[in-house]
Amino acid sequence: MERDSLAREIIHTCLEMTRLGLNQGTAGNVSVRYHDGMLITPTGIPYENLTESHIVYIDADGKPEEGKVPSSEWRFHQIAYQTRPEANAVVHNHAVHCTAVSILNRPIPAIHYMIAAAGGSTIPCAPYATFGTKKLSEHVAVALKNRKATLLQHHGMIACEVNLQKALWLAHEVEVLAELYLSTLPIVDPVPVLSDEEIAIVLEKFKTYGLRVEE
Ligand SMILES: C[C@H](O)[C@@H](O)[C@@H](O)C(=O)COP(=O)(O)O
Ligand SMILES: [Zn+2]
């Protein structure tokens, strides 16, 4: 896809994050894999003010194009693409329920079979490190090794997928799971969970779910 179309898609994804209630203020950032690097949102600009010219290209060495300042979190976007070769889009936000679970420093367990959408039986919680640091990106690399989404302790969440539409969908799904977890936790802790065997069955079924026969 052309750079302008990708930039428009990035801005649309940002605005959708806000519309879905996944973000507040200038929190969060969005990127897509592009050439040998990525296109990413700029730092600190409210989504409603974003234009295509704000979107920043960062090359494979982490060098941003001249005259633009990328998201402070470009390092964890870069490491997400390195860790997950199938991922072409990364979404980060401070969704309230995900962030609340991250403050408890717990993974989201297999409370619902949709947990498998992130690739396994839990959504991990990457340990805290200051925003924008290499240390945080190192924690993210570990958390995303076997999953497409992770919580970030005392911070928020990240979701990676093959395209922006799916990354946004996954981020929203993880927020729903976090809300379900928080609403059951006061009633019974630990919350009942599905077995690893059942999650393995769901993971297998997801490989063909929604595929249609070509007409
Ligand atoms: C302080 C920042 O909001 C930080 O939380 C970062 O992770 C974030 O979400 C937005 O930062 P950028 O505007 O630099 O993308
Ligand atoms: Zn953040």
Side-chain angles (χ1 to χ4, degrees):
M1 212 188 277
E2 290 303 309
R3 176 174 173 155
D4 277 359
S5 321
L6 286 169
R8 273 196 294 279
E9 244 197 85
I10 288 175
I11 296 169
H12 174 72
T13 305
C14 292
L15 295 171
E16 280 295 284
M17 271 209 294
T18 305
R19 190 184 68 79
L20 290 166
L22 298 177
N23 233 349
Q24 319 83 34
T26 60
N29 26 73
V30 171
S31 73
V32 291
R33 202 190 279 274
Y34 186 69
H35 294 176
D36 63 345
M38 63 183 155
L39 293 172
I40 191 165
T41 44
T43 190
I45 299 186
Y47 293 152
E48 59 275 17
N49 296 344
L50 281 181
T51 64
E52 288 142 44
S53 63
H54 286 122
I55 304 301
V56 188
Y57 173 67
I58 300 189
D59 71 17
D61 300 325
K63 190 169 166 292
E65 63 188 308
E66 199 76 18
K68 295 190 183 182
V69 185
S71 165
S72 55
E73 303 292 16
W74 65 269
R75 285 185 186 81
F76 72 52
H77 285 256
Q78 185 186 51
I79 218 153
Y81 293 120
Q82 288 164 358
T83 308
R84 301 208 61 88
E86 88 289 357
N88 293 311
V90 176
V91 162
H92 161 59
N93 63 51
H94 298 182
V96 170
H97 299 94
C98 284
T99 307
V101 178
S102 87
I103 292 164
L104 300 175
N105 192 21
R106 294 181 181 208
I108 306 175
I111 48 168
H112 190 286
Y113 70 84
M114 284 305 288
I115 200 95
S121 57
T122 57
I123 312 279
C125 183
Y128 181 79
T130 309
F131 80 92
T133 59
K134 191 160 176 285
K135 190 79 207 157
L136 180 57
S137 69
E138 287 163 3
H139 291 323
V140 166
V142 174
L144 291 180
K145 197 162 171 22
N146 299 308
R147 295 291 187 276
K148 295 193 266 184
T150 183
L151 305 180
L152 304 177
Q153 189 185 8
H154 294 287
H155 185 157
M157 67 85 65
I158 300 175
C160 333
E161 257 292 2
V162 292
N163 59 39
L164 278 170
Q165 206 187 348
K166 288 190 173 178
L168 178 65
W169 176 86
L170 179 59
H172 190 225
E173 195 58 49
V174 174
E175 174 63 355
V176 170
L177 290 165
E179 185 171 9
L180 280 174
Y181 185 42
L182 287 175
S183 50
T184 48
L185 203 50
I187 303 167
V188 54
D189 184 13
V191 173
V193 293
L194 292 164
S195 65
D196 286 350
E197 290 72 27
E198 178 56 22
I199 296 300
I201 291 169
V202 176
L203 279 167
E204 211 41 49
K205 282 179 77 88
F206 275 176
K207 286 182 186 165
T208 52
Y209 172 76
L211 291 182
R212 295 194 188 95
V213 179
E214 292 296 324
E215 285 167 23

